[in-house]
Amino acid sequence: MTNNLGEYFQISAEISGQRIADSTRKNYASKMKTWKKWLEEHRPQYVANSEVVLPLDEQTMLGFFGYISYKDVAKTKLRAASTIYSYYSALKFQYSERKIAWNGTIELQNFLDGYQNKVAQARETGILPTFEGKQPLSMKAYSLIASYALRSNECHYAHLYLVLCWNLMGRTSSIGALHYSNIGWSNDCLMITLPRHKGDQSGQNTKPKHIFANIEIPQICPVLALAIYCFSYGFRNANDTYKLFEGSDPEGSYNKWLHSKALSNVSVEELGMPPDQIGTHSLRKGSTTYVHSFDVVTETSVDLRAGWSTGKVRSKYVFGTPGADQLIGRLLSGLDIHNVNKFMQIQPHFHEREILTWSEYREVMVAFESYPSSFRNCLEYLISIIAHHYDYLANSLHRSHPIFSSRVWTNGLLDRLRPFIMISNRKCSCSLIASGTPTVWS
């Protein structure tokens, strides 16, 4: 038994390391590179073997924060307070990782408090913008970018990635980590579960999020976006991990596409703000701001949808309900709450429950049986929405889009199924009921 003790310690250390997300570690590592570069120039005794030597003395810490406070040599452009705190957090994390007691003093805390006040004063006088960080996207701007993503042929998963970021109110890193096993169907909507996120690293409080179709505005319809992607690019081998977005860094590829392609092809007038004020987090901010504009939505239900903490006490007594999340899901999909019939619309579907045979599923999706059962339940609805939007897709997608050479498009299945598509609102005779509608409309 003692011969394995070292191995057990290693396993324990690896598990302990999982308390911090990989994206956070990358961010801290980037910040520590700046620390090291400054120390090499001003305090070289604190750098050895390309590593920062800890602990640092108080004057060294204060000197670095004085240096990093401004973006320019002339010291006219203050950095955001959140940026300063990120360097502070990165340093404290290094202390923790190396098991060195933190030696930050009251003087350092005074600096951080004073810096926040200085930034606030700069905003009052117009030296800094009123808002910190990237701006929230409006529904109009989101729709314009989604339309460009759908019609372009530059990043094959950009459209779905964008639409999921908005509808799930999630961080880009969380969207990039999705697997087919996280996707399912219930009644009249997609059910997507983010296994964990920054506010819940253990995944203990995660709940499925309800995602609804919008056949009135196809470019922002999340169900259509998933259908296009799955039948065009989503095939996996039987031994695959079934990650939704393939590649080592789907988040990075999406970020690059957003900044280098999408924002440069939509005008400032249409966006309503300069492109440099838009980032990947603008979707999360935008979708949150959008649903908060409706008085039928509660702040707590939005917090739960976005994965934000509701506080130690409230989290023990206040829990999310499917109805509240369904309502938010309908709003985020862009359904018109001012039109009862359109808001309570049930997506295209088939009355006959077994209108598709297993052989037809195998024909349009390779290794159909090996996909997670939760995702297989979605296929009927993904096929029905493709069939419903057949003409729209034929006229809107890039002529070289792979959907046009896919099996679902070329084998005649859609022509057979189109006459059987049903669209209803409130309640369908096949037992589907519109979920997520305000009680006063029931």
Side-chain angles (χ1 to χ4, degrees):
M1 293 293 291
T2 55
N3 293 337
N4 296 327
L5 194 57
E7 179 184 350
Y8 297 152
F9 281 145
Q10 183 178 354
I11 293 172
S12 177
E14 289 175 355
I15 294 175
S16 296
Q18 293 297 310
R19 74 189 190 281
I20 301 294
D22 290 340
S23 57
T24 303
R25 285 183 179 275
K26 286 182 181 179
N27 182 45
Y28 285 165
S30 174
K31 295 295 185 288
M32 288 310 299
K33 286 181 181 179
T34 305
W35 271 99
K36 182 168 77 72
K37 183 178 179 181
W38 184 84
L39 289 169
E40 286 174 335
E41 182 177 350
H42 299 280
R43 289 286 194 276
Q45 68 270 30
Y46 284 114
V47 180
N49 299 320
S50 297
E51 293 287 340
V52 174
V53 177
L54 301 178
L56 302 178
D57 66 73
E58 178 185 86
Q59 291 304 309
T60 298
M61 292 186 201
L62 290 171
F64 173 81
F65 282 111
Y67 155 77
I68 207 68
S69 298
Y70 291 92
K71 299 179 182 180
D72 58 332
V73 177
K75 297 180 178 57
T76 58
K77 298 179 181 178
L78 279 171
R79 295 185 187 275
S82 59
T83 301
I84 300 302
Y85 271 93
S86 67
Y87 284 100
Y88 175 77
S89 298
L91 183 64
K92 286 195 72 173
F93 177 70
Q94 284 297 309
Y95 273 75
S96 174
E97 286 287 273
R98 300 187 200 180
K99 297 179 173 57
I100 298 173
W102 174 244
N103 63 331
T105 65
I106 190 65
E107 286 299 321
L108 183 57
Q109 189 59 52
N110 287 343
F111 165 82
L112 294 172
D113 294 341
Y115 192 85
Q116 284 189 314
N117 291 336
K118 187 175 181 66
V119 168
Q121 292 170 5
R123 290 205 175 103
E124 287 179 354
T125 56
I127 297 174
L128 284 179
T130 305
F131 299 100
E132 182 176 310
K134 301 301 183 181
Q135 297 303 298
L137 272 187
S138 65
M139 170 59 86
K140 178 184 177 182
Y142 158 62
S143 299
L144 288 167
I145 298 174
S147 180
Y148 173 78
L150 179 66
R151 296 170 188 275
S152 70
N153 201 29
E154 296 156 346
C155 176
H156 66 268
Y157 51 69
H159 181 241
L160 176 61
Y161 210 112
L162 177 89
V163 171
L164 289 182
C165 281
W166 177 276
N167 282 271
L168 291 171
M169 296 171 65
R171 295 175 176 84
T172 54
S173 58
S174 299
I175 305 304
L178 282 170
H179 287 67
Y180 280 97
S181 58
N182 303 134
I183 304 172
W185 192 273
S186 177
N187 186 40
D188 62 336
C189 64
L190 281 169
M191 301 281 280
I192 300 182
T193 304
L194 297 176
R196 63 173 185 158
H197 50 78
K198 187 176 180 180
D200 182 19
Q201 291 289 347
S202 64
Q204 292 180 340
N205 299 316
T206 187
K207 294 286 190 297
K209 299 181 182 182
H210 301 78
I211 310 294
F212 290 85
N214 183 341
I215 64 172
E216 301 292 331
I217 316 176
Q219 68 267 29
I220 61 171
C221 175
V223 182
L224 179 61
L226 180 63
I228 294 170
Y229 175 79
C230 288
F231 292 119
S232 301
Y233 309 102
F235 300 124
R236 301 289 183 268
N237 297 319
N239 296 323
D240 206 303
T241 60
Y242 288 94
K243 190 175 180 183
L244 182 60
F245 300 107
E246 288 190 297
S248 59
D249 186 21
E251 178 189 0
S253 298
Y254 165 72
N255 292 351
K256 183 178 180 181
W257 167 84
L258 180 65
H259 291 96
S260 65
K261 297 294 184 181
L263 295 180
S264 61
N265 281 280
V266 182
S267 70
V268 174
E269 290 76 16
E270 291 176 314
L271 289 173
M273 69 187 81
D276 62 2
Q277 293 185 17
I278 299 173
T280 54
H281 219 52
S282 294
L283 285 144
R284 183 165 159 88
K285 291 181 178 180
S287 57
T288 304
T289 303
Y290 179 72
V291 294
H292 266 304
S293 67
F294 299 96
D295 56 11
V296 292
V297 173
T298 66
E299 185 174 348
T300 298
S301 61
V302 174
D303 289 346
L304 293 170
R305 174 87 173 196
W308 288 313
S309 172
T310 55
K312 290 184 177 181
V313 174
R314 293 184 70 197
S315 64
K316 296 181 183 298
Y317 294 93
V318 180
F319 298 90
T321 60
D325 189 74
Q326 289 161 355
L327 174 58
I328 291 177
R330 283 191 176 274
L331 290 169
L332 288 171
S333 70
L335 293 170
D336 184 3
I337 196 172
H338 303 295
N339 184 312
V340 176
N341 289 330
K342 288 183 178 180
F343 192 75
M344 297 180 71
Q345 197 170 73
I346 299 174
Q347 88 139 55
H349 59 281
F350 305 116
H351 265 205
E352 296 180 38
R353 298 305 302 163
E354 297 182 2
I355 193 170
L356 286 154
T357 65
W358 275 66
S359 62
E360 286 176 319
Y361 280 127
R362 294 190 197 99
E363 172 65 19
V364 298
M365 181 154 280
V366 178
F368 163 72
E369 294 96 334
S370 63
Y371 279 76
S373 59
S374 61
F375 176 73
R376 293 203 303 268
N377 293 334
C378 304
L379 286 177
E380 174 187 335
Y381 299 96
L382 299 184
I383 292 172
S384 66
I385 203 163
I386 288 280
H388 174 74
H389 285 297
Y390 184 93
D391 293 333
Y392 171 81
L393 295 176
N395 295 320
S396 300
L397 297 181
H398 194 278
R399 62 181 180 276
S400 63
H401 197 287
I403 191 71
F404 298 134
S405 58
S406 67
R407 294 183 181 187
V408 75
W409 194 272
T410 61
N411 70 354
L413 178 65
L414 297 181
D415 289 333
R416 179 178 81 79
L417 294 175
R418 288 173 76 184
F420 298 98
I421 293 174
M422 297 295 297
I423 299 175
S424 51
N425 58 64
R426 295 177 182 260
K427 185 177 182 179
C428 183
S429 59
C430 68
S431 77
L432 280 181
I433 299 174
S435 59
T437 57
T439 307
V440 293
W441 291 356
S442 301

